[in-house]
Amino acid sequence: MEGWVRNIGEYLSYLVDENFGEYAYDIVDGIAKARTGEELLENVYKALRLAPKLEKKARGKECPHIRKPSPEDIEALENEVEKLSDKPKELRALALKLALWAFAYWVHCPKKGRNNSSGGEN
C-alpha cells in the first residue's frame, strides 16, 4: 500500500473521531461513494477545509498536533486520480480504500496516565 493513502486516511479519521466532535461522516461517505475523480478530489478538499477547526479542537483537548496530508501526499492522490480517470472500478477502489483508512484504529488523544495502545496499532 502507498504511504500517501494511509496518510490521507489518517487525516480523514479525525473527521469521525469522537474526541473532535466533528462527525463529518458525510464527507468520508462522499469519498467512499465517489464515482469520478472530480468527486473524490472535491470531497478530500472538503475534508482538508476542516483542518483549522480540527487543529483548534486538538489544542483545546491537549492532543498531539493534527497530522495533515503533505503536499506530496496530495500530489500522489492527484496523479493516481488522473491515471485512473478511464478506469472507474479502480478509481472506486481507491476511494473506498481512503474511506476505510478513516475508520482504522487511531489514537489521536491518548488518555492521560494510560498507555495509548489499547488494542490497535499506533
Side-chain angles (χ1 to χ4, degrees):
M1 184 214 32
E2 304 286 341
W4 61 268
V5 171
R6 186 178 194 276
N7 293 341
I8 293 171
E10 180 178 3
Y11 172 76
L12 294 173
S13 72
Y14 291 104
L15 301 178
V16 295
D17 185 320
E18 68 182 26
N19 289 299
F20 297 94
E22 202 52 45
Y23 303 114
Y25 287 90
D26 58 326
I27 294 174
V28 177
D29 288 345
I31 290 169
K33 295 175 183 176
R35 299 280 187 222
T36 67
E38 185 176 300
E39 288 176 359
L40 176 57
L41 292 175
E42 184 178 311
N43 280 291
V44 171
Y45 164 78
K46 288 177 185 178
L48 291 171
R49 289 257 306 138
L50 292 174
K53 193 174 186 180
L54 293 169
E55 288 171 330
K56 185 176 180 180
K57 287 182 179 186
R59 282 191 303 273
K61 294 187 175 286
E62 299 179 21
C63 297
H65 71 282
I66 300 287
R67 292 192 54 196
K68 294 185 288 190
S70 71
E72 293 80 16
D73 295 332
I74 299 303
E75 183 176 35
L77 172 63
E78 290 173 330
N79 290 338
E80 191 68 14
V81 166
E82 187 175 319
K83 194 166 59 173
L84 299 176
S85 64
D86 61 341
K87 300 175 183 172
K89 286 184 179 182
E90 291 179 35
L91 181 68
R92 176 102 167 106
L94 171 62
L96 284 170
K97 190 183 296 188
L98 288 171
L100 283 171
W101 276 99
F103 293 101
Y105 181 80
W106 302 99
V107 179
H108 298 302
C109 299
K111 303 248 188 282
K112 290 183 179 177
R114 284 184 54 195
N115 182 342
N116 67 352
S117 61
S118 55
E121 284 185 29
N122 291 335

